[in-house]
Amino acid sequence: MQNERWLLPEGIDEILPPRAWELEQLRRDLLDLFHSWGYEFVIPPFVEFLESLLTGTGGDLDLQTFKLTDQVSGRLMGVRADIAPQAARIDAHRLREDTPSRLCYLGTVLHTRSDGFAGSRSPLQIGAELYGHGGVESDLEILRLMIQTLDLVGVRGVSLDLGHVGIFRSLAGQAGLDSSQESALFDALQRKAVPEIEELVAAWRLTPEQALMFEALAELNGDDALAQAGERLLAAGDDVHQALAYLRRVADGLREWMPEVPVHFDLAELRGYHFHTGTVFAAFVPDIGKEIARGGRYDGIGRAFGRARPATGFSADLKILMQAGSAGERDRDPAPKILAPWSEEPSLQHRVMELRGQGMRVIPALPGQHGAAREMGCDHELRWINGKWQLTPV
Amino acid sequence: MEFNTPVTIALSKGRIYKQSLPLLEYAGIVPRDDPETSRKLILETSQRNVKLVIIRATDVPTYVQYGAADLGVAGKDVLLEHGGGGLYEPLDLRIARCRMMVAGVPGANLEADRLRVATKYVRTAQSYFAAQGKQVEIIKLYGSMELAPLVGLADLIVDLVESGNTLKANGLVPLQHICDISSRLIVNKAAWKMKHLVVSGLLEAFREAAQSS
């Protein structure tokens, strides 16, 4: 092996020109979009004490979080693996408003293991959260903002996947499953492993009615899943039927606001089960094997911080969005890049400052430097012609 | 059934391929080449939109998880090792059936402390012995597990047993049954949602074919 000091850790990447600038433009556009919807920008810290970082989020996030010891307090700190719980803490503890609050954020998070398609362990998470309203309307607002975000990034052919974690939770409660049974069934449902679900429900001696409903859950997906669900989950408790009614209202709203976006229902989709409490959703596009944006309702996470507020939101990895979308490639009318000769002549300096003020990029040629205008990637040069500093194409 | 969107199905050579053929045929898919004689890795089929990719059995879940193939046929043994994350495994195809067993020399002491277990199925072996409250040392091998107890490399092996002939030929016996193995239809999550009509159509056809055989 030769010198490998340049290697980055697995799943840690960097973004180089011109992609980095495209990403920055996209970042600005997206924050402008969120701003125009009234979402306030917050910048939570990169590290926090572990207990506040992981409150109410379940074991998945714990495993994903890098930990380190604070030498000042001796307490354990975590590098954030998800910004949404930080935003919830800010809403519950720092803002303390009674009106609905809307927050958005963008920042790097770190994962101990990659679960991503490209194997990234350092996603650039962008998201928006709405606190203080517990109804269909706020879920719809977040869904619309998510779709508009994807549209702005230039992602085409989006379809939505919609589910509700309350359905499985109520069924499990109704069947009296203990937590290890619930997690075994949860695991099988996540993989739609119907043969395993049949084995589990048979081993636990559930009533045939309950067994059939769990099996139905794995099969209730597709455009008509909601229509079938009423019948196949007929014996379920009121909670389940309320959840189904809630989903129907979300679906109706989506049809009204965004009839062009296909909606797929999946009642076994429980992503973020330990964190979410109601609707969960994700956006898929053709040719990418996993979701590119996701979100859902997570009421009550603020309880540990002194104030339980209904909450809903979405987030995505901006790097994946840029890959999936065409916005990065669209012609952003790049400003001319101009090479100026080296001189301390005030008239030249004046002209250079003037051009920069007009948004052009001016690079002085350094004395004795290697390469001329073309090698420097410049499309224009500043030349002294007819008693004036004039732009000439290279 | 109709295939109005392109679909890629991942299969592994050998037993799984052979036993998948009748299921595919039931769904109206007939490969144009035979992977045993052709060196092609992508096989065209009688359906213009359906392609088969022929890969190693342990790679099938990886291809499907990352969406390089929309569907695949993988043994439960491979899925247990893979962990199954990021995939759906909705259907037991009931093909390529065998058993995952603990095997060793006749009368092997299963109660000894820190048994050394040679296997290709590290996760399966680990979780099986852990569930019994036993701490064992796992030795990862890639093949010919039967040799390990004979040359003193391991006390036991964990391996797939079909007829038991290989064990018998090497003077070993099956000792404990871990689980039954058969092949599952696996589906990429995004394909499930984006190509739902085709995927659910195929699922239904395979279900019927698997039940009738």
Side-chain angles (χ1 to χ4, degrees), chain A residues 40 45 74 92 147 165 185 213 219 241 259 284 303 318 366 379:
Chain A
E40 308 275 357
I147 294 293
V165 297
L185 197 54
M213 286 198 291
E219 286 162 8
H241 290 284
F284 286 85
R303 190 173 298 124
L318 189 53
L366 295 169
D379 39 32

Side-chain angles (χ1 to χ4, degrees), chain A residues 47-356:
Chain A
V47 290
E48 279 193 45
F49 289 126
L50 205 56
E51 42 200 287
S52 63
L53 205 54
L54 296 182
T55 296
T57 57
D60 309 350
L61 203 60
D62 190 2
L63 278 178
Q64 280 289 27
T65 305
F66 273 99
K67 283 126 190 163
L68 50 152
T69 309
D70 179 16
Q71 296 209 353
V72 176
S73 66
R75 293 169 67 189
L76 213 51
M77 299 196 300
V79 180
R80 63 186 179 192
D82 184 359
I83 304 180
Q86 295 187 299
R89 174 182 57 76
I90 289 173
D91 171 70
H93 199 74
R94 298 296 300 273
L95 301 179
R96 294 190 171 277
E97 283 159 1
D98 290 321
T99 51
S101 59
R102 293 172 168 83
L103 301 179
C104 66
Y105 51 81
L106 184 148
T108 297
V109 294
L110 206 57
H111 291 168
T112 49
R113 290 172 179 208
S114 78
D115 60 344
F117 183 63
S120 174
R121 293 199 292 167
S122 60
L124 190 52
Q125 192 187 9
I126 183 164
E129 315 287 330
L130 204 172
Y131 302 95
H133 182 272
V136 173
E137 297 76 11
S138 45
D139 281 326
L140 278 172
E141 176 172 324
I142 287 293
L143 276 161
R144 288 172 58 205
L145 183 56
M146 180 171 90
I147 294 293
Q148 197 166 356
T149 299
L150 297 175
D151 191 53
L152 186 89
V153 178
V155 177
R156 300 287 168 253
V158 175
S159 78
L160 270 180
D161 189 45
L162 209 55
H164 195 299
V165 297
I167 295 171
F168 173 66
R169 196 166 280 151
S170 310
L171 284 178
Q174 203 185 334
L177 301 186
D178 62 33
S179 64
S180 71
Q181 290 174 324
E182 187 176 326
S183 83
L185 197 54
F186 167 81
D187 179 56
L189 266 176
Q190 283 307 279
R191 292 179 284 117
K192 295 199 198 306
V194 178
E196 275 173 58
I197 296 170
E198 285 168 356
E199 267 172 43
L200 289 175
V201 295
W204 298 334
R205 299 173 190 281
L206 299 186
T207 64
E209 214 169 42
Q210 281 164 341
L212 278 177
M213 286 198 291
F214 282 121
E215 287 163 36
L217 217 47
E219 286 162 8
L220 283 170
N221 52 73
D223 314 336
D224 59 345
L226 270 191
Q228 289 182 29
E231 200 181 315
R232 296 191 66 180
L233 302 178
L234 196 62
D238 287 345
D239 293 358
V240 171
H241 290 284
Q242 276 161 18
L244 289 172
Y246 191 98
L247 266 187
R248 271 186 210 108
R249 286 173 59 205
V250 174
D252 290 344
L254 283 173
R255 213 168 295 129
E256 196 153 314
W257 286 102
M258 303 178 289
E260 71 287 356
V261 178
V263 178
H264 176 106
F265 299 96
D266 193 335
L267 302 188
E269 191 61 73
L270 302 167
R271 66 176 74 78
Y273 178 62
H274 305 289
F275 174 60
H276 286 297
T277 56
T279 42
V280 287
F281 47 80
F284 286 85
V285 289
D287 303 328
I288 293 192
K290 64 173 292 198
E291 72 259 23
I292 58 166
R294 52 159 75 183
R297 178 161 286 287
Y298 55 106
D299 295 345
I301 192 178
R303 190 173 298 124
F305 302 111
R307 228 162 54 111
R309 290 240 284 174
T312 178
F314 86 93
S315 71
D317 178 359
L318 189 53
K319 291 187 225 171
I320 289 183
L321 289 189
M322 196 162 79
Q323 273 170 24
S326 56
E329 296 148 24
R330 80 176 167 220
D331 190 6
R332 285 185 177 271
D333 188 27
K337 201 171 167 186
I338 301 154
L339 190 70
W342 175 256
S343 161
E344 281 163 11
E345 173 67 41
S347 66
L348 174 67
Q349 294 306 324
H350 185 75
R351 181 79 175 121
V352 165
M353 294 309 282
E354 187 182 65
L355 288 169
R356 284 178 179 161

